[in-house]
């Protein structure tokens, strides 16, 4: 009679057969359910000392993570890593902008001086603009300009002629409910957001409040010891990145990610040692790695977290160009099996296309998943929407693309000193996904249901079941993968939520 050992394989056996598996290659067997899906606890750690209630991280890419993404992800209990493909002072200002508020969005309305004469184009699609004496956030707020009033002025007139008096300001320390109550109590359609130091941070509107209320209710936000949003930021491994590191720490970055496609290098080891010596209070995340040997070197150097993945992203061509990397499921399992024993959380970076991939990454040992294309195209991603073949899209590019390399990302691939540049990524476009404030909560609900089917009531429970060999897996054939997806239909409409 066949026993339990004949029903699938434990991970320790499946991932030691010399094959490199992706998420789609493997499938988990269901476990025993004795709890509701809503009881699943997805709380986790980004790094040794930073806790999150949602196991999602926005990738440090210039078409994914800037201030709006960082504020939105933190408000959801997740986090974002601000990209370093810009000047250090600009990156630091992005970190400060995200940490300067407790609201889940960044409007980034223009700021004009009283003497300026902006055209409608200068409003950049916003209904309002702030007016200060000198046209910057640090000078005195004097009014609010309305785009409709500017459109009526032809030719453009000085903003002082039509601006409206500034209403009472809301505190930048307000969370969403406090801001909503403030606008309602004051009977305002909009209000400037001003910090305790008097800096003009942003503008909140009744439309913003109404939009956020239409999304699932916000959960526990990611807050640091300072009571502000958790925001991480990336740096490279070159000498001038030490200045970038200093500016990011001064801006309040909660964690620093050393951004490299192949992290097992003398350059990264030296940067880890420097950063840990200079700023021991800041958690440092190293990578990228895909093997235990790579992980051992970075952990020995002192990292507080590891990014796992090489060539698995939708816009990454490293495996194709360089013939180096590893299937993401195998990489996550192998590195996590070692790193977890060292109390170093693992970030599964890349290869996430839908909720099932998140379930697999987390169950195989990751503490969080890092996403690029999954979040690109969202309302919070940088860039403007455009129409392509009738579809509303946003640009999404790999940091190894030639286009991104011209901005400085070639250092990530150790190619900044090379005369000949070879791309390890492409430039593309992704469909409009709406707001992360809407689709991340639905995605996490799907992940909870996946954990329920596994019989795992938390991330730690899933990891324990995997190590105890209670969770069983199998490899899926190509036909099994087809069968496990939508098939046999003439047409269909896929609406996940």
């Amino acid at each position: 009679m066949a026993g339990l050992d004949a029903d699938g394989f434990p991970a320790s056996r499946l991932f030691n057969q010399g094959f490199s598996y992706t998420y789609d290659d493997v499938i988990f067997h269901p476990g025993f359910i004795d709890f509701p899906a809503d009881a699943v606890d997805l709380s986790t750690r980004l790094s040794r000392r930073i806790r999150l209630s949602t196991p999602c991280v926005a990738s440090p890419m210039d078409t994914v993570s800037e201030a709006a993404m960082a504020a939105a992800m933190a408000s959801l209990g997740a986090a974002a890593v601000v990209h370093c493909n810009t000047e250090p002072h600009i990156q630091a200002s992005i970190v400060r902008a995200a940490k300067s508020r407790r609201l889940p969005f960044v409007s980034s309305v223009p700021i004009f001086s009283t003497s300026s004469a902006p055209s409608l184009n200068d409003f950049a699609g916003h209904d309002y603009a702030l007016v200060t004496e000198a046209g910057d956030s640090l000078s005195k707020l004097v009014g609010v300009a309305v785009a409709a009033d500017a459109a009526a002025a032809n030719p453009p007139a000085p903003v002082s002629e039509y601006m409206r008096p500034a209403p009472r300001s809301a505190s930048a320390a307000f969370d969403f409910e406090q801001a909503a109550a403030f606008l309602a109590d004051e009977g305002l359609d909009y209000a400037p957001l001003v910090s305790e130091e008097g800096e003009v941070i942003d503008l909140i509107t009744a439309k913003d409040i109404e939009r956020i209320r239409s999304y699932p209710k916000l959960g526990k936000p990611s807050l640091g010891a300072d009571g502000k949003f958790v925001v991480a930021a990336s740096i490279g491994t070159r000498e001038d990145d030490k200045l970038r590191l200093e500016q990011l720490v001064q801006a309040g970055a909660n964690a620093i990610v050393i951004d490299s496609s192949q992290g097992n290098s003398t350059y990264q080891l030296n940067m880890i040692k420097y950063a840990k010596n200079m700023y021991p209070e800041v958690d440092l995340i190293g990578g990228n790695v895909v093997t235990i040997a790579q992980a051992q070197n970075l952990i020995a150097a002192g990292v507080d977290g590891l990014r796992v993945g090489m060539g698995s992203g939708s816009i990454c061509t490293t495996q194709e160009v360089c013939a180096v990397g590893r299937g993401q499921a195998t990489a996550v399992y192998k590195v996590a099996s070692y790193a977890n024993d060292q109390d170093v959380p693992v970030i599964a970076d890349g290869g996430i296309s839908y909720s099932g991939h998140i379930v697999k990454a987390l169950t195989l040992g990751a503490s969080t998943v890092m996403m690029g294309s999954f979040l690109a195209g969202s309302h919070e991603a940088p860039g403007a929407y455009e129409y392509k073949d009738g579809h509303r899209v946003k640009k999404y590019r790999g940091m190894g693309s030639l286009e991104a390399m011209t901005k400085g990302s070639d250092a990530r691939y150790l190619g900044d000193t090379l005369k000949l540049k070879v791309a390890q990524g492409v430039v593309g476009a992704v469909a409009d996904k709406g707001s992360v404030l809407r689709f991340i909560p639905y995605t996490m609900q799907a992940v909870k249901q996946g954990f329920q089917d596994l019989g795992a009531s938390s991330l730690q429970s899933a990891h324990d079941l995997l190590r105890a060999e209670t969770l069983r897996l199998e490899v899926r054939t190509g036909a099994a993968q087809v069968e496990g997806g939508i098939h046999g239909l003439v047409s269909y409409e896929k609406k996940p939520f």
Side-chain angles (χ1 to χ4, degrees):
M1 183 177 178
L4 292 177
D5 288 345
D7 205 3
F9 298 91
S12 58
R13 180 179 173 189
L14 186 74
F15 290 107
N16 279 295
Q17 301 180 81
F19 294 100
S20 188
Y21 294 123
T22 68
Y23 294 137
D24 282 340
D25 288 327
V26 299
I27 193 75
F28 285 105
H29 288 184
F32 177 73
I33 299 173
D34 59 356
F35 54 88
D38 285 340
V40 174
D41 180 11
L42 295 179
S43 61
T44 185
R45 291 187 298 166
L46 172 67
S47 54
R48 287 188 199 266
R49 294 173 290 189
I50 298 178
R51 299 203 64 85
L52 305 176
S53 59
T54 300
C56 297
V57 184
S59 181
M61 304 173 73
D62 59 8
T63 51
V64 177
S65 294
E66 291 188 352
M69 183 66 73
M73 292 295 281
S75 72
L76 291 168
V81 183
V82 175
H83 72 87
C84 59
N85 208 27
T86 187
E87 294 298 319
H89 72 278
I90 296 176
Q91 185 186 15
S93 70
I94 293 172
V95 171
R96 282 193 293 270
K99 292 182 69 70
S100 65
R101 69 199 66 221
R102 287 284 304 276
L103 295 174
F105 59 88
V106 175
S107 299
S108 298
V109 297
I111 300 179
F112 302 136
S113 68
T114 52
S115 60
S116 64
S119 68
L120 186 59
N121 288 338
D122 293 325
F123 281 76
H126 293 281
D127 292 332
Y128 304 98
L130 294 164
V131 183
T132 64
E133 288 182 343
D136 60 55
S137 63
L138 296 175
S139 57
K140 182 180 178 182
L141 176 69
V142 294
V144 174
V146 181
D149 297 339
N154 191 18
V159 71
S160 58
E161 293 184 7
Y162 60 83
M163 70 179 187
R164 303 180 184 185
R168 185 182 170 194
S169 298
S171 169
F174 283 172
D175 61 22
F176 175 73
E177 293 300 335
Q178 289 172 320
F182 176 84
L183 287 182
D185 292 345
E186 297 290 328
L188 299 173
D189 289 329
Y190 54 82
L193 200 64
V194 178
S195 71
E196 291 181 358
E197 295 76 24
E199 181 178 3
V200 181
I201 302 298
D202 209 337
L203 186 81
I204 57 173
T205 71
K207 284 185 178 180
D208 292 327
I209 301 299
E210 184 179 350
R211 177 174 62 86
I212 303 301
R213 287 221 186 277
S214 71
Y215 302 147
K217 187 175 181 180
L218 296 171
K220 180 182 178 182
S222 301
L223 302 178
D226 57 2
K228 298 180 179 180
F229 279 157
V230 167
V231 178
S234 64
I235 64 171
T237 58
R238 299 312 191 199
E239 189 65 27
D240 56 5
D241 281 294
K242 292 178 180 179
L243 174 61
R244 183 184 296 272
L245 172 63
E246 179 184 0
Q247 293 190 30
L248 293 173
V249 172
Q250 291 175 350
N254 300 86
I256 297 295
V257 175
I258 301 181
D259 195 20
S260 176
S261 64
Q262 211 283 55
N264 190 28
S265 69
T266 185
Y267 315 110
Q268 181 154 158
L269 294 177
N270 290 338
M271 181 59 77
I272 292 169
K273 293 171 184 176
Y274 173 83
K276 293 303 293 184
N277 180 60
M278 293 295 295
Y279 309 103
E281 74 282 3
V282 179
D283 274 14
L284 192 68
I285 298 170
N288 280 34
V289 300
V290 292
T291 70
I292 292 174
Q294 289 177 298
Q296 285 176 329
N297 284 343
L298 300 194
I299 290 174
V303 296
D304 301 296
L306 282 173
R307 275 172 84 186
V308 176
M310 190 173 184
S312 57
S314 64
I315 39 65
C316 185
T317 60
T318 296
Q319 293 185 18
E320 177 183 313
V321 172
C322 299
V324 178
R326 201 172 202 177
Q328 189 66 346
T330 299
V332 170
Y333 173 74
K334 288 289 189 178
V335 174
S337 65
Y338 174 78
N340 288 342
D341 286 339
Q342 314 303 314
D343 192 36
V344 175
V346 161
I347 302 170
D349 177 18
I352 301 297
S353 297
Y354 46 82
S355 59
H357 288 160
I358 299 175
V359 174
K360 291 176 182 179
L362 296 175
T363 304
L364 288 172
S367 294
T368 55
V369 293
M370 179 171 279
M371 300 176 289
S373 64
F374 197 88
L375 302 174
S378 66
H379 176 77
E380 290 78 10
Y385 285 110
E386 56 188 59
Y387 285 89
K388 189 173 184 179
D389 298 328
H391 298 284
R392 194 168 187 249
V393 300
K394 268 189 182 180
K395 178 187 287 188
Y396 176 54
R397 68 185 183 191
M399 299 310 289
S401 66
L402 291 177
E403 184 177 285
M405 284 185 175
T406 61
K407 298 288 188 178
S409 68
D410 48 355
R412 183 179 192 272
Y413 300 86
L414 306 180
D416 53 324
T417 60
L418 301 179
K419 293 181 179 178
L420 301 179
K421 306 293 185 184
V422 178
Q424 293 187 43
V426 300
V427 178
V430 291
D432 177 7
K433 295 184 176 74
S435 175
V436 298
L437 298 173
R438 181 172 185 265
F439 68 77
I440 288 296
Y442 279 103
T443 301
M444 289 302 100
Q445 184 61 34
V447 171
K448 287 184 177 182
Q449 290 174 206
F451 270 64
Q452 182 190 40
D453 283 344
L454 291 172
S457 60
S458 66
L459 263 69
Q460 187 58 55
S461 172
H463 294 174
D464 291 344
L465 289 171
L466 188 77
R467 294 176 76 119
E469 302 189 349
T470 302
L471 278 181
R472 315 291 281 192
L473 302 89
E474 284 178 343
V475 175
R476 296 199 295 174
T477 64
Q481 292 182 42
V482 171
E483 182 182 69
I486 299 168
H487 61 280
L489 302 176
V490 174
S491 64
Y492 65 90
E493 182 181 10
K494 189 175 182 180
K495 298 182 70 173
F497 50 81

